[in-house]
Amino acid sequence: TVPSAVRTGALPPRLQLGSGGGGGAAAILVPLSKWGRAVLAAWEPVTVSAALQRASQGLSSAALLKATDIGQQAQGQVCVPTGISPFLRAGVISPRQALEAGVRFRDLLWREFSYVCWRIAAPLARGVPLIPALGAAALASSKSQLFRTDDEAFDMWCLGKTGGGMVDAGMRQLWCEGWMPRHIRLLCAACLVEGLGVSWTRGRDWFAHTLIDHDPVINTMMWQNAGLCGVDPFYRALKWEEVPCTVADEKYVAEWADRELAWPPHLQRLAAVSRPEWQHVRTVAQERRRDLRPVFAAASRVCQAGLRVEWGRRDDDPGPVVGVGRVGLETFCAGLGACSSSPPDTR
């Protein structure tokens, strides 16, 4: 099905890949368009040996070995990405093979943790917020919108025209290659939700539409957390608008931020529009973070206390989220409204 965030005519052609058994390249079963050939060209060869070589890149990066927090990476301590996720998603190599080749253990554990949460917390599989009161808490207020409407903000985000250098580079890499590094995904998500005040569901659907390594479990998990209404909204208040502060960041932005790309019809009308001035972007981002302090505080409590899930009569029947730590969900939501001058819309 076509995601609701993607208009008619925006979809690239569907690709069907063979099993690629024996370590060889996956066999193409349908003719590829120019768009499809360009995307796959960035990932060739699709083989076990190529995947293991990518995984081993992590061992040669001192920044990766020293980095202990993806939030540090998102604020400038950038590690060298391996680009291994499409190969894991397609089953070219297993997580154990990736670990043995050098992929960081915690990055692999995050994938498995997402599957566990998907199994236990039923709202994840339904695509609805685990914390209903926080589901719409980050929507834009009229005084701090960077663009005129949510639709315009979303389209400019898709085009990589937000005014945040790292975000704009990431969004253009996403459309060109169907991928971006994980820390850039976090910055892009923070920009859309916290900076532009657009619903996390639209970002989830756009990533589902564009990512070559799309996994509905991991994608939904990440976007609910970015929307501050998920299992573990740990990476909040990221300064997505900041200028590149490392040589690696500067090279990344220089390579991607102004890359000329062919856009789908519904985005072409804005493709020639200039980005907003960076000083204005920075001011709006700072205002938004101030406005969202009560929501950040609530998200912090979720991270520290954890969620309680109500189970059905059968052991394999997970139910809704009913509480945060020892506090019932209704009590938590009431407390969230009391700490904010403008309680979030919980409809």
Side-chain angles (χ1 to χ4, degrees), residues 15-346:
L15 304 180
Q16 297 179 5
L17 301 180
S19 61
I28 304 302
L29 302 183
V30 294
L32 287 178
S33 67
K34 182 179 179 181
W35 183 92
R37 290 196 300 272
V39 170
L40 288 184
W43 298 99
E44 293 178 346
V46 184
T47 64
V48 172
S49 59
L52 292 175
Q53 182 177 4
R54 284 177 177 269
S56 66
Q57 291 174 0
L59 288 175
S60 62
S61 169
L64 176 58
L65 294 174
K66 293 179 181 178
T68 58
D69 190 292
I70 197 71
Q72 295 173 358
Q73 297 172 23
Q75 301 297 356
Q77 189 178 347
V78 181
C79 65
V80 176
T82 61
I84 196 64
S85 55
F87 296 86
L88 286 169
R89 175 66 178 124
V92 178
I93 63 172
S94 70
R96 289 184 181 276
Q97 286 177 299
L99 177 64
E100 292 173 358
V103 173
R104 193 169 59 159
F105 190 39
R106 63 175 294 163
D107 291 339
L108 295 169
L109 284 180
W110 163 255
R111 300 171 61 86
E112 304 308 315
F113 176 63
S114 298
Y115 288 114
V116 171
C117 292
W118 181 275
R119 168 66 181 83
I120 293 176
L124 272 173
R126 297 198 303 270
V128 298
L130 271 74
I131 307 295
L134 289 174
L139 297 186
S141 61
S142 58
K143 68 178 181 179
S144 59
Q145 283 186 331
L146 192 59
F147 301 102
R148 291 173 297 178
T149 65
D150 281 358
D151 287 342
E152 181 183 347
F154 177 71
D155 288 348
M156 293 291 277
W157 177 79
C158 292
L159 284 165
K161 286 182 172 288
T162 67
M166 296 288 285
V167 172
D168 292 347
M171 294 307 296
R172 290 189 170 230
Q173 183 187 20
L174 175 63
W175 184 252
C176 183
E177 293 187 348
W179 185 85
M180 66 172 82
R182 184 183 171 211
H183 70 282
I184 301 295
R185 299 186 194 198
L186 291 173
L187 290 178
C188 291
C191 171
L192 184 69
V193 177
E194 299 176 10
L196 304 182
V198 176
S199 172
W200 61 270
T201 60
R202 301 188 72 173
R204 175 200 63 192
D205 291 347
W206 184 252
F207 272 32
H209 170 55
T210 52
L211 281 173
I212 199 171
D213 64 350
H214 173 250
D215 185 314
V217 175
I218 296 171
N219 191 47
T220 301
M221 178 86 163
M222 190 207 81
W223 275 103
Q224 283 216 8
N225 289 337
L228 307 174
C229 58
V231 173
D232 185 26
F234 181 78
Y235 301 111
R236 54 195 177 275
L238 295 178
K239 296 181 180 179
W240 58 269
E241 76 284 2
E242 290 297 322
V243 297
C245 55
T246 68
V247 174
D249 288 348
E250 291 174 353
K251 289 182 178 179
Y252 181 75
V253 172
E255 179 180 1
W256 289 107
D258 294 316
R259 177 77 65 94
E260 292 295 328
L261 300 173
W263 297 102
H266 80 278
L267 292 176
Q268 290 175 3
R269 61 184 178 83
L270 292 175
V273 175
S274 300
R275 294 184 176 101
E277 293 292 334
W278 181 78
Q279 289 293 348
H280 178 50
V281 172
R282 185 182 186 185
T283 299
V284 169
Q286 291 172 343
E287 290 177 353
R288 286 285 295 161
R289 281 193 287 271
R290 285 195 295 267
D291 291 345
L292 291 173
R293 282 175 182 171
V295 183
F296 292 153
S300 176
R301 182 170 184 178
V302 172
C303 292
Q304 295 173 7
L307 299 175
R308 289 192 294 112
V309 176
E310 183 179 69
W311 286 79
R313 295 181 179 180
R314 305 192 313 273
D315 289 341
D316 61 348
D317 181 24
V321 174
V322 296
V324 178
R326 296 186 178 182
V327 179
L329 191 58
E330 292 182 1
T331 303
F332 173 81
C333 294
L336 172 64
C339 73
S340 174
S341 58
S342 54
D345 182 1
T346 60

